[in-house]
Amino acid sequence: MAEIPSTARVVIIGGGAVGVSSLYHLAKAGWTDCVLLEKNELTSGSTWHAAGNVPTFSSSWSLMNMQRYSAGLYRGLAAEVDYPMNYHVTGSLRLAHTKERMREFQRVKGMGRYQGMDIDVVGVNDIKGRYPFIETHELQGALYDPSDGDIDPAQLTQALAKGARDMGAKIVRFCPVSGVRRENGEWVIETPKGEIRCEYVVNAAGYRAREVGKMFGRDVPMMVMSHQYILFDEIPELAAWSKEHGKKLPLLRDVDTSYYLRQEKNGMNLGPYEKNCRAHWASDNDPMPDDFSFQLFPDDLERLEWYLDDAVRRVPILGTAGLSKVINGPIPYAPDGNPLIGPMPGVPNAFEACVFTFGIAQAGGAGKVLAEWVTEGQTEWDMWSCDPRRFTAFASEPDYCVAKGMEVYGHEYAIHFPRHAWPAGRGRKKSPIHDRIAALGAQFNAYNGWERATWFAQPGDDISEESTQTFTRDGPWQKRIREECLAVRDAAGILDLPGFSRYRLQGPGAREWLSSLITGVVPKPGRIGLGYFADDKGRIVTEMSIMALDEDFFFLITASVAELHDLEWLQKHLPQETQITLQNSTEAFACQILSGPNARKILAEVTNADLSLPWLSHQSCQIEGRWLQLVRVSFAGELGWEFHTKIDDTATVFDAVWAAGQKHGLKLFGMFALDSLRLEKGYRAWKQDLSTDYTILQGWLERFVKWDKPDFKGKAALQNEEQQGVTKRFVTLVVEAGDCDAPYMSTLWHDGKIVGETTSGGFGHRVDKSIALGMIRADLAAPGTKIEVEIFGENFPAVVQKDEPLWDPRNERLRA
């Protein structure tokens, strides 16, 4: 029986590819006093039955970074750790049946080229030359990735394990964790082989992550899918081709049909992601067994029949092969299909590296990211797409997890269109006036579970899900978005905005403490202002609105999706001995935005508040006898106010304002219009324009930096960056775009060279221009510089604008 040490710096729970990669990368970072505990043998969970595909493709910038790193690591790992591995870099073809799929491929090609990968988009005539056994009916083209391939998951895991052991880390097999407890600022991990005390702990338990999470009081948002793939006998034609050419066929993915087809020795491996999928261990009648190591579910071939038939039509030689084996094993899914990597919400010194749907492709990068989280408290790349804090409590409800997991699995290869709203698991959190605005035509999407109106349809408008499955700007919503924007410009608009994250900060020293965290000035009582929080490298952690009610009494307001992320950032930095209190008040309040030149006239009819108070002020007042905080700000960039109301008072306040506004042209507007309006003002969006991929100075936020105040977080790094020179700059671009606006992470070109990327894009209806916000090489940030923006494979002219809003550049309308 292996000895279990009594202490360690880090304990990792779970010995699949991700857990072992985390151990390897911790050891590589110099943290060799780390122990991995595995319930059974290494790879006994999802790793052992994984197909082992290693794509670099992703439409997510951060996931592409992670997968690119994995592929690079695996290429040299066998030699580095002296352990043999079967890693076949075969390249891959992703087939496109539609114009929109080709557009997605062009976007991913641009992202891949930016990251240094030789991804290409090829025409139908090129497909046959790369894959001679294919039929090209109904195809538009394909994406070719020369770095794609497959690896033996067990060999990969053992290679990483050997590398970790060689550096001094320990692995204890057949050692299940039975409980955990917190003592004297340490974790005590309980096992049948004894207890182990540690500073940090990592949940890398794969499809058992929820079970492990409960030991920490954490309800991990996940479910388990049954994933099947079929292995086929040897195909003589394929064997002859491989012998002649000395290589395997590229991995084939028919993403519009939803399967992959891979050469397996001289046979084939077919892996569908079927819409008629099945969840496992999702009810009391189907409990998770105490141990499912190295086990599979019974075959369920009826689910795969349609996909098999389609694959045979696409690659006819498949139809000549006998079926060799069916693999049907458990794979975990989070509600959005992305893994959980990062701090365990609400639990000190605990991290998650679990719920990986594509664990083999992502294990290398995941280990790197997890090790950075543990050893540095931050990651090289902004990894919000995988951060466990992106989900709040509602997302852990089992029925929600199952509904979303099955939706993601059934649409594993789906295109993510900018105006599309996924329908499963909806209606979890609603505004107090949800039914009122729904009756007025609101079309909704979920923001951290909160249903918000995106646009308002009129009778006869096409509101089908199919209508949203396009990248083009024009659609049934476009006319309505324009009407909403122009109403805000010419009269007034009101937006229901439930779910703002907000925290009540109060107590002696609160102002001084807050000042030490933000780069700029804490507003005086009665005022509100933006506060930017930097990390020790000067990078943008978050942006919050700071509403000062008294000298040491504040409400901090931030993005809906930032609720746990920003709360934990504040909690992490609170002094241990303090009278300052911090309370999450998100669920207690609602908000509406009233903006437009007639906003003051409308409010004058329903409240006796002082409407002459200047921009960035706030006051308590009443409407129809109900209290609200009236805040003189406008993310829409017009004369306007926000109403912050208690939940029970919201409908009364809205009804009064709505009724008073009818004679003043008041119109409802949605999130799509708000996005257009904020782009015209150059206002940044959280985790697009504002992320740890950029520093405060790169974000051109110097006006929010007060250099002469006492030390604040990130000050030294920012001073050094200022002295060395800022390498990238945030800019607003006007783009001569076609029928699509620039999506997130579109490449910027100048003189044939990549010089930056977009962070937001859309159409400004007040200025009648396509707009992109982005980061560009600093020497090109001068107004008037002509560059090009790559939008779905085509370069469009763009011009860098002055560092001021396109609309109302002197903020005269905003301050009116």
Side-chain angles (χ1 to χ4, degrees):
M1 180 180 288
E3 288 292 320
I4 183 168
S6 59
T7 63
R9 196 169 189 186
V10 183
V11 169
I12 298 170
I13 303 171
V18 172
V20 177
S21 176
S22 299
L23 185 72
Y24 168 84
H25 281 88
L26 282 167
K28 205 167 185 180
W31 285 39
T32 56
D33 184 16
C34 299
V35 176
L36 183 146
L37 304 177
E38 164 53 41
K39 180 175 185 174
N40 194 277
E41 179 60 90
L42 295 183
T43 78
S44 62
S46 293
T47 298
W48 84 272
H49 62 77
N53 298 332
V54 186
T56 58
F57 175 98
S58 179
S59 58
S60 161
W61 181 257
S62 52
L63 289 178
M64 180 180 277
N65 260 322
M66 200 161 67
Q67 292 172 187
R68 171 182 52 80
Y69 175 88
S70 291
L73 173 69
Y74 300 166
R75 279 193 290 271
L77 185 62
E80 179 185 333
V81 303
D82 190 24
Y83 191 94
M85 287 196 305
N86 290 317
Y87 181 27
H88 309 107
V89 180
T90 61
S92 70
L93 286 163
R94 287 176 184 260
L95 306 180
H97 292 238
T98 66
K99 175 184 176 184
E100 297 296 355
R101 181 67 76 177
M102 287 293 282
R103 279 181 160 165
E104 180 198 44
F105 287 172
Q106 291 288 0
R107 176 173 179 250
V108 171
K109 171 186 171 180
M111 290 167 55
R113 291 290 176 91
Y114 197 147
Q115 291 194 15
M117 296 185 291
D118 194 23
I119 294 173
D120 201 4
V121 176
V122 300
V124 174
N125 293 336
D126 294 319
I127 296 173
K128 194 90 171 176
R130 298 175 188 268
Y131 202 103
F133 302 108
I134 197 170
E135 298 295 326
T136 57
H137 55 271
E138 302 171 354
L139 297 182
Q140 300 276 324
L143 181 136
Y144 178 68
D145 178 2
S147 299
D148 208 335
D150 63 270
I151 198 167
D152 184 301
Q155 291 178 339
L156 168 64
T157 306
Q158 295 295 347
L160 290 166
K162 182 178 185 298
R165 288 188 182 108
D166 288 348
M167 288 183 280
K170 295 181 178 64
I171 295 173
V172 183
R173 299 168 299 145
F174 303 102
C175 186
V177 173
S178 54
V180 303
R181 65 184 191 273
R182 191 88 172 139
E183 282 184 2
N184 302 320
E186 292 181 313
W187 287 107
V188 181
I189 312 300
E190 303 163 4
T191 83
K193 295 185 178 182
E195 295 184 345
I196 178 169
R197 289 181 174 270
C198 62
E199 186 178 354
Y200 300 97
V201 65
V202 179
N203 179 358
Y207 61 70
R208 305 201 82 100
R210 192 166 204 157
E211 175 186 340
V212 170
K214 287 184 184 300
M215 299 179 190
F216 296 87
R218 156 76 164 151
D219 198 1
V220 178
M222 63 169 290
M223 53 84 69
V224 178
M225 288 299 305
S226 150
H227 176 61
Q228 298 185 96
Y229 60 89
I230 308 172
L231 299 176
F232 292 86
D233 292 330
E234 180 172 313
I235 302 171
E237 296 96 322
L238 180 56
W241 184 90
S242 285
K243 184 177 181 180
E244 178 185 351
H245 292 86
K247 62 180 182 180
K248 294 169 66 175
L249 285 171
L251 199 156
L252 191 71
R253 292 182 181 87
D254 196 332
V255 288
D256 289 313
T257 305
S258 194
Y259 62 79
Y260 68 82
L261 185 64
R262 188 183 88 198
Q263 182 174 344
E264 189 76 20
K265 297 182 180 176
N266 288 318
M268 285 193 165
N269 173 346
L270 174 68
Y273 290 91
E274 68 276 16
K275 287 185 170 58
N276 55 328
C277 52
R278 181 177 176 186
H280 268 282
W281 306 329
S283 70
D284 294 338
N285 297 326
D286 182 24
M288 180 182 286
D290 290 338
D291 190 7
F292 201 70
S293 301
F294 296 112
Q295 296 183 54
L296 296 172
F297 301 125
D299 302 349
D300 192 1
L301 284 174
E302 287 186 11
R303 283 169 30 200
L304 309 187
E305 186 175 345
W306 185 88
Y307 300 90
L308 177 57
D309 290 345
D310 189 89
V312 168
R313 287 193 295 272
R314 181 65 62 199
V315 183
I317 62 169
L318 182 65
T320 68
L323 189 154
S324 170
K325 190 175 183 180
V326 178
I327 306 294
N328 185 10
I331 294 183
Y333 269 75
D336 60 2
N338 288 351
L340 305 176
I341 320 173
M344 187 183 294
V347 184
N349 286 10
F351 295 83
E352 292 175 342
C354 53
V355 197
F356 280 77
T357 299
F358 298 100
I360 304 306
Q362 296 169 354
K368 165 186 156 61
V369 169
L370 186 281
E372 290 169 348
W373 268 124
V374 174
T375 63
E376 302 175 34
Q378 56 196 1
T379 55
E380 176 186 357
W381 314 309
D382 191 292
M383 291 302 299
W384 178 244
S385 64
C386 300
D387 195 310
R389 296 167 296 183
R390 70 190 187 272
F391 295 117
T392 51
F394 83 96
S396 296
E397 296 168 6
D399 64 327
Y400 178 83
C401 291
V402 170
K404 295 302 290 184
M406 292 182 71
E407 180 180 61
V408 173
Y409 182 92
H411 299 86
E412 188 63 70
Y413 294 130
I415 303 172
H416 293 267
F417 294 108
R419 302 298 195 202
H420 178 248
W422 292 100
R426 296 294 297 280
R428 296 286 157 159
K429 295 192 278 188
K430 294 181 179 179
S431 157
I433 60 169
H434 178 90
D435 292 343
R436 284 170 171 77
I437 64 173
L440 294 168
Q443 306 303 302
F444 294 97
N445 204 347
Y447 298 75
N448 188 22
W450 290 98
E451 295 290 334
R452 290 180 176 175
T454 52
W455 65 287
F456 286 83
Q458 298 297 318
D461 287 347
D462 184 358
I463 58 173
S464 66
E465 187 176 357
E466 291 73 21
S467 72
T468 67
Q469 294 173 341
T470 178
F471 287 114
T472 58
R473 181 187 312 114
D474 196 23
W477 54 79
Q478 190 69 357
K479 179 181 179 181
R480 304 305 173 205
I481 294 171
R482 182 173 181 81
E483 291 170 353
E484 294 167 22
C485 290
L486 298 189
V488 172
R489 181 193 71 182
D490 299 333
I494 189 166
L495 169 68
D496 184 38
L497 201 61
F500 260 144
S501 302
R502 67 188 75 217
Y503 321 111
R504 181 188 179 105
L505 179 70
Q506 191 172 13
R511 174 176 292 273
E512 183 180 357
W513 173 75
L514 191 56
S515 180
S516 73
L517 279 188
I518 67 170
T519 61
V521 177
V522 179
K524 297 178 180 178
R527 303 288 288 174
I528 187 171
L530 288 177
Y532 286 92
F533 296 74
D535 65 13
D536 291 330
K537 295 181 179 180
R539 302 182 304 176
I540 304 167
V541 172
T542 194
E543 168 201 84
M544 299 189 205
S545 293
I546 302 172
M547 185 192 302
L549 283 85
D550 209 336
E551 186 64 22
D552 281 319
F553 181 15
F554 305 92
F555 270 101
L556 309 180
I557 303 171
T558 185
S560 169
V561 293
E563 182 181 346
L564 293 184
H565 176 279
D566 285 8
L567 178 63
E568 290 203 355
W569 182 260
L570 295 169
Q571 290 172 330
K572 177 182 177 182
H573 293 94
L574 269 176
Q576 288 189 348
E577 301 294 329
T578 183
Q579 298 180 56
I580 301 171
T581 60
L582 179 68
Q583 178 185 356
N584 187 353
S585 302
T586 299
E587 302 281 350
F589 295 90
C591 178
Q592 280 88 44
I593 293 176
L594 177 70
S595 281
N598 291 347
R600 183 177 279 116
K601 296 176 185 177
I602 295 168
L603 282 177
E605 297 194 15
V606 295
T607 182
N608 59 359
D610 183 356
L611 301 180
S612 67
L613 289 181
W615 183 48
L616 301 181
S617 64
H618 62 88
Q619 61 187 304
S620 294
C621 67
Q622 290 192 346
I623 292 178
E624 291 293 309
R626 305 298 177 96
W627 170 90
L628 68 149
Q629 197 73 11
L630 192 63
V631 186
R632 178 79 192 277
V633 293
S634 173
F635 200 55
E638 300 284 351
L639 171 67
W641 284 264
E642 290 177 359
F643 311 152
H644 295 264
T645 55
K646 295 178 181 177
I647 294 295
D648 291 343
D649 297 335
T650 301
T652 300
V653 171
F654 172 80
D655 288 345
V657 173
W658 181 247
Q662 295 311 295
K663 64 185 177 187
H664 297 291
L666 182 62
K667 187 179 181 70
L668 286 159
F669 69 106
M671 297 298 291
F672 291 165
L674 183 63
D675 193 57
S676 170
L677 296 164
R678 69 98 185 170
L679 285 170
E680 293 172 315
K681 296 296 291 182
Y683 295 159
R684 280 71 156 170
W686 199 78
K687 289 304 180 188
Q688 287 179 238
D689 317 297
L690 302 170
S691 81
T692 54
D693 284 332
Y694 309 112
T695 69
I696 294 286
L697 300 187
Q698 288 174 342
W700 216 308
L701 296 168
E702 284 96 328
R703 63 187 179 278
F704 295 100
V705 179
K706 186 169 174 55
W707 296 108
D708 60 351
K709 74 173 184 176
D711 195 32
F712 58 85
K713 194 166 184 64
K715 183 177 181 180
L718 292 171
Q719 286 177 325
N720 182 63
E721 184 183 13
E722 187 184 40
Q723 292 167 2
Q724 298 295 322
V726 181
T727 58
K728 300 174 80 169
R729 280 292 193 181
F730 177 88
V731 291
T732 298
L733 304 168
V734 169
V735 189
E736 294 179 31
D739 61 351
C740 299
D741 299 307
Y744 176 68
M745 285 295 167
S746 297
T747 305
L748 304 182
W749 294 85
H750 180 73
D751 286 345
K753 295 180 181 179
I754 294 174
V755 295
E757 69 275 0
T758 64
T759 52
S760 292
F763 195 83
H765 292 278
R766 289 178 297 193
V767 298
D768 277 325
K769 292 180 172 66
S770 181
I771 304 167
L773 308 182
M775 290 286 178
I776 197 168
R777 206 175 69 201
D779 62 300
L780 298 175
T785 302
K786 295 181 179 179
I787 63 164
E788 293 177 309
V789 181
E790 182 180 338
I791 303 176
F792 300 116
E794 185 177 352
N795 284 12
F796 292 88
V799 178
V800 176
Q801 305 298 299
K802 293 181 181 178
D803 184 26
E804 63 183 23
L806 292 174
W807 176 253
D808 186 25
R810 287 176 291 280
N811 289 330
E812 294 168 340
R813 296 169 68 93
L814 194 64
R815 299 172 184 268

